[in-house]
Amino acid sequence: MTDVVDRPASQASRPAARAHHRADATPSVDVAALGEQLLGKWARIRLHSRELAGRPELYKTEGLTHTQHRMRTFGQLKYLVDNGAVHRAFPASLGGSDDHGGNIAGFEELVTADPSLQIKAGVQWGLFGSAVMHLGTEEHHAKWLPGIMNLDIPGCFAMTETGHGSDVASIATTATFDPATQEFVVNTPFRAAWKDYIGNAAIDGLGAVVFAQLVTSGVNHGVHAFYVDLRDPETKEFLPGIGGEDDGVKGGLNGIDNGRLHFSNVRIPRTNLLNRYGNVDTDGAYTSSIASPGRRFFTMLGTLVQGRVSLDGAAVAASKIALKTAIQYATERRQFNASSHTDEEVLLDYQRHQRRLFTRLATTYAAGFAHEQLLQKFDDVFSGAHDSDEDRQDLETLAAALKPLSTWHALDTLQECREACGGAGFLIENRFASLRADLDVYVTFEGDNTVLLQLVAKRLLADYAKEFRNVDVGVLARYVVSQAAGTAVHRTGLRQVAQFVADTGSVQKAAIALRDEATQRLLLTDRVQTMVAEAGAALKGTNKLPQQKAAEAFNQHQHELIEAAQAHAELLQWEAFTEALANVKDPGTKRVLTWLRDLFGLSLIEKNLSWYLMNGRLSMQRARTVGDYINRLLVKIRPHAVDLVDAFGYGPEHLRAAIATGAEQIRQDEARAYFRSQRADGKAPVDEKVLLAKKARESKPQRR
């Protein structure tokens, strides 16, 4: 196995100018140690997956038709099977290793090879296979999982409908039990109920886990999962009663054969109900270990949260790839001779360039540390180490909070890095445009980001109601949430109330106060607390209103609630970054990472400066210092920028960007040598502006 943290290839492209910056820079970053920390708990699996992702067999080949891309991607799934990369989460009794966290850690790294491969693998094993494993019983496992694991049964996860995406509870496909034949009859009652955007549905899928309303004895028991055979394994034609069509070319991810499915009274055996949480007996009687229909629904969907977890990690990985490429290029590319008559400036020395890249670098670090905590929480729940109902709710809420931020951030980072690299960034060979197109859909599948944040907001309101049931709302604005180190991801709602720390507005102490960890925490947590308190006060008593009135009241405050949920998620990322600092042993690395954490925190405060001013949390004097201190942090981080992206551990085989190979440095060195030679030989032509200036001086009357 190749150790990509220390691989020589990733060091070879460093520009010569980097030595100059490092020679005088104090402190320095221990790149190898930081790289190991970033790899996290499942480092060995990540490295194995990266080694696979760095092989040409798994690369995305640009320029293929969507038909060719689909064929290549399906072949790559077989390559993953042959290389033992897909079985980690499955039961040890079937050849797996029951390693749920490691499984996600490995799969999300595949985004560096081709996002289509990562998602298609996720559909096959993370959704289709996972649904059979987590919603089915041992009988289902024995019957279908071996074929799913070795790709004998390519399959679909048929949940989303044309008319219902994020609102899964309202899907219209039905599965009605017929006691006379001991079968469920699966039916699509109208066009809007077609299963849509389903991976593997257009061509490859032989089976599917179909989500439908379970109806028996005239009672609808809500959404359940059913195993349905789709195609004849020999002819690959749809079985009787099943139809579908190809979704066609998409804005990205064209290695996946997304399609539509519909069912006309398709009969399946009663035992094809994946009945871990709900069962129908031979006489049609429904039973469930979870009495509440609502709780049962969320429990079933909660077992499938790994899709959101893996998207969070894949988005972070894509951001790292983009930043490594853009920052490497910015240390080599020169433009405009602002400070010298002979030498042009390196792009990364411009403050604006630092602003556009370093702030996103700081966010990527924060998102990466938060993802590692999410992954640990996921593994705790699915391994059974911490698997209470509260643990599962916390996991669901945490994933719903972090996935929107990381996927939006990935799109923003890819676009900004593209622009920061100019015309070169627009070339497909440098991957920004291609990656952005592929990741575009990440913000709306496995849960639309805005809808997910609304879920988080409702959890915050529920926690608020419990925490402050008997507290006067006017008092709450003067308090902030206490943040005990190490507790950020163990509870995803509001914390216990602590004393309010007033802002002094002192100009002399402003910069010191803002870079103080406690001050950043107070400002960030106070914003979340206050926003939730205000929304909670506005919505107080709506549970007693008629449904329509309650919905209207909630809708009037929907924007503020989603803003509060986003602020909460940003706080979780800041907390994760802060907790990670405690694990950094090298003093120099810790100091640089602290600057980066401060940059992340202050960037959040700067982004929401109007809120802090309008709500009296910052004086105008102190608010003016935020931007200045950010600019000072940029200068401090500048000498360490390449170290910080090298620590991501991605080599040329993962970047696959022409501008990150050192070619630009060679071009720039050649150009500078050429002009130096001209000047040394006296052969350089005289600049017209120099001549004009000389003539102007000579034409001035001489003073006597």
Side-chain angles (χ1 to χ4, degrees):
M1 188 185 304
T2 304
D3 186 343
V4 294
V5 173
D6 293 321
R7 71 170 70 247
S10 66
Q11 310 297 322
S13 60
R14 296 183 181 181
R18 195 246 188 101
H20 171 73
H21 284 292
R22 287 294 308 276
D24 300 322
T26 302
S28 62
V29 173
D30 186 336
V31 176
L34 178 56
E36 290 177 9
Q37 182 178 357
L38 294 178
L39 285 169
K41 177 179 178 179
W42 291 275
R44 179 184 58 81
I45 292 174
R46 284 192 186 280
L47 289 172
H48 177 257
S49 189
R50 287 186 188 183
E51 193 276 324
L52 277 178
R55 296 181 188 179
E57 291 89 342
L58 297 185
Y59 289 176
K60 178 180 181 180
T61 302
E62 301 290 356
L64 296 179
T65 65
H66 76 288
T67 303
Q68 294 168 328
H69 194 181
R70 289 173 173 181
M71 293 176 62
R72 177 172 172 79
T73 306
F74 186 75
Q76 290 170 333
L77 292 189
K78 297 178 181 177
Y79 190 89
L80 293 179
V81 172
D82 294 342
N83 284 274
V86 303
H87 296 166
R88 299 184 189 98
F90 291 105
S93 60
L94 296 175
S97 54
D98 294 305
D99 186 354
H100 301 281
N103 179 60
I104 298 296
F107 268 128
E108 62 197 24
E109 292 291 342
L110 295 176
V111 75
T112 65
D114 183 353
S116 284
L117 173 61
Q118 184 234 335
I119 298 302
K120 193 171 178 75
V123 168
Q124 175 65 20
W125 295 293
L127 292 177
F128 175 53
S130 183
V132 172
M133 181 169 65
H134 293 299
L135 299 180
T137 61
E138 290 186 3
E139 292 182 6
H140 298 128
H141 298 172
K143 184 175 183 180
W144 291 308
L145 283 184
I148 292 171
M149 292 164 68
N150 66 20
L151 205 60
D152 284 347
I153 310 176
C156 307
F157 184 80
M159 176 184 283
T160 301
E161 296 181 354
T162 305
H164 285 97
S166 297
D167 184 9
V168 178
S170 298
I171 61 175
T173 299
T174 57
T176 305
F177 184 63
D178 181 354
T181 62
Q182 293 294 294
E183 294 173 318
F184 282 100
V185 182
V186 183
N187 190 51
T188 306
F190 42 76
R191 175 62 183 82
W194 283 22
K195 299 298 179 181
D196 211 342
Y197 324 115
I198 309 300
N200 288 340
I203 299 172
D204 297 327
L206 296 181
V209 171
V210 176
F211 288 80
Q213 305 285 350
L214 189 160
V215 179
T216 181
S217 303
V219 178
N220 182 354
H221 292 279
V223 176
H224 287 65
F226 301 82
Y227 188 95
V228 179
D229 290 310
L230 295 179
R231 289 180 171 90
D232 184 300
E234 300 299 325
T235 66
K236 304 298 174 65
E237 297 294 327
F238 280 125
L239 295 173
I242 298 174
E245 61 188 36
D246 197 325
D247 274 328
V249 180
K250 307 182 294 292
L253 295 181
N254 280 301
I256 307 172
D257 56 318
N258 293 89
R260 305 180 180 97
L261 299 171
H262 55 89
F263 309 92
S264 298
N265 298 317
V266 175
R267 290 181 172 269
I268 60 173
R270 179 182 65 88
T271 53
N272 278 29
L273 166 65
L274 300 179
N275 61 343
R276 179 177 177 182
Y277 295 106
N279 186 53
V280 173
D281 294 334
T282 54
D283 61 358
Y286 179 85
T287 57
S288 174
S289 58
I290 305 174
S292 166
R295 186 71 255 148
R296 186 190 316 133
F297 170 75
F298 284 110
T299 299
M300 285 192 287
L301 262 63
T303 62
L304 307 173
V305 71
Q306 65 181 345
R308 292 170 188 169
V309 177
S310 63
L311 289 181
D312 179 53
V316 172
S319 298
K320 290 177 178 179
I321 290 289
L323 285 163
K324 166 59 182 170
T325 298
I327 287 177
Q328 185 70 61
Y329 181 67
T331 64
E332 302 171 6
R333 180 75 158 88
R334 293 176 177 271
Q335 195 77 65
F336 306 113
N337 53 348
S339 62
S340 169
H341 291 300
T342 56
D343 269 348
E344 294 176 298
E345 302 295 319
V346 172
L347 291 183
L348 205 57
D349 286 341
Y350 288 107
Q351 184 190 78
R352 179 58 186 167
H353 216 76
Q354 294 169 4
R355 270 259 185 175
R356 70 198 310 189
L357 296 181
F358 293 174
T359 53
R360 288 166 176 83
L361 177 63
T363 303
T364 300
Y365 263 82
F369 289 130
H371 173 70
E372 193 65 21
Q373 293 186 338
L374 172 61
L375 200 53
Q376 181 64 64
K377 184 71 174 176
F378 171 81
D379 189 69
D380 285 346
V381 168
F382 280 79
S383 68
H386 300 284
D387 190 19
S388 67
D389 187 57
E390 184 179 5
D391 286 320
R392 285 185 173 264
Q393 288 183 53
D394 282 352
L395 172 61
E396 182 77 22
T397 309
L398 187 58
L402 296 181
K403 180 260 185 182
L405 265 61
S406 61
T407 53
W408 275 329
H409 171 67
L411 293 187
D412 172 66
T413 299
L414 285 161
Q415 181 63 26
E416 196 68 29
C417 288
R418 203 293 291 161
E419 293 182 30
C421 294
F426 194 57
L427 299 178
I428 286 295
E429 69 176 15
N430 292 316
R431 297 190 70 197
F432 298 118
S434 177
L435 277 171
R436 195 194 184 288
D438 284 336
L439 265 68
D440 199 336
V441 75
Y442 283 36
V443 303
T444 53
F445 81 153
E446 293 301 315
D448 176 278
N449 283 358
T450 300
V451 175
L452 290 179
L453 288 177
Q454 185 166 296
L455 183 154
V456 176
K458 289 181 177 179
R459 172 67 187 277
L460 291 174
L461 281 177
D463 279 9
Y464 164 81
K466 294 176 184 176
E467 196 73 54
F468 307 113
R469 195 183 308 275
N470 299 315
V471 179
D472 180 76
V473 174
V475 176
L476 296 177
R478 299 194 298 274
Y479 287 85
V480 295
V481 183
S482 68
Q483 295 289 315
T487 64
V489 300
H490 299 302
R491 292 190 61 199
T492 59
L494 297 174
R495 278 68 163 184
Q496 296 293 324
V497 174
Q499 68 177 28
F500 175 70
V501 178
D503 183 277
T504 64
S506 168
V507 177
Q508 289 75 20
K509 297 180 180 179
I512 296 175
L514 285 171
R515 75 184 184 194
D516 180 69
E517 179 180 303
T519 301
Q520 291 177 40
R521 176 180 281 119
L522 288 171
L523 287 170
L524 295 173
T525 55
D526 179 36
R527 181 165 181 262
V528 177
Q529 171 60 50
T530 304
M531 293 172 79
V532 175
E534 289 176 348
L539 294 172
K540 189 175 181 179
T542 53
N543 59 326
K544 300 176 182 178
L545 295 175
Q547 183 179 0
Q548 182 179 354
K549 293 293 185 182
E552 288 177 0
F554 188 88
N555 192 50
Q556 288 174 1
H557 298 279
Q558 187 179 39
H559 175 71
E560 299 98 295
L561 283 168
I562 291 172
E563 288 283 299
Q566 183 166 342
H568 172 68
E570 291 166 342
L571 170 61
L572 291 176
Q573 290 182 331
W574 184 92
E575 286 282 9
F577 202 150
T578 301
E579 289 170 26
L581 287 173
N583 298 321
V584 181
K585 294 181 173 58
D586 176 65
T589 304
K590 188 168 187 174
R591 188 174 179 190
V592 174
L593 284 183
T594 300
W595 292 335
L596 201 64
R597 191 280 314 272
D598 291 347
L599 178 60
F600 175 62
L602 293 179
S603 294
L604 292 176
I605 293 168
E606 184 182 53
K607 181 178 72 172
N608 300 296
L609 206 53
S610 60
W611 185 93
Y612 289 104
L613 287 167
M614 287 189 297
N615 287 274
R617 299 308 194 267
L618 284 176
S619 66
M620 187 66 73
Q621 295 162 313
R622 183 168 294 189
R624 290 193 185 99
T625 70
V626 176
D628 289 340
Y629 192 63
I630 285 176
N631 292 338
R632 288 199 292 275
L633 286 172
L634 299 176
V635 174
K636 292 180 178 181
I637 293 167
R638 166 62 181 96
H640 311 286
V642 175
D643 279 343
L644 290 169
V645 291
D646 277 351
F648 292 153
Y650 293 112
E653 69 276 27
H654 303 112
L655 303 180
R656 303 197 306 280
I659 57 173
T661 61
E664 180 63 27
Q665 186 67 52
I666 294 172
R667 288 191 291 268
Q668 292 291 336
D669 288 346
E670 179 187 24
R672 296 169 77 197
Y674 171 79
F675 288 118
R676 277 198 302 269
S677 175
Q678 275 200 328
R679 290 193 298 271
D681 294 343
K683 297 179 180 179
V686 179
D687 192 313
E688 181 184 5
K689 289 183 289 186
V690 174
L691 285 177
L692 291 173
K694 182 180 179 182
K695 290 180 179 180
R697 288 194 301 271
E698 292 174 349
S699 64
K700 286 183 179 179
Q702 298 295 317
R703 292 185 179 180
R704 296 181 181 272

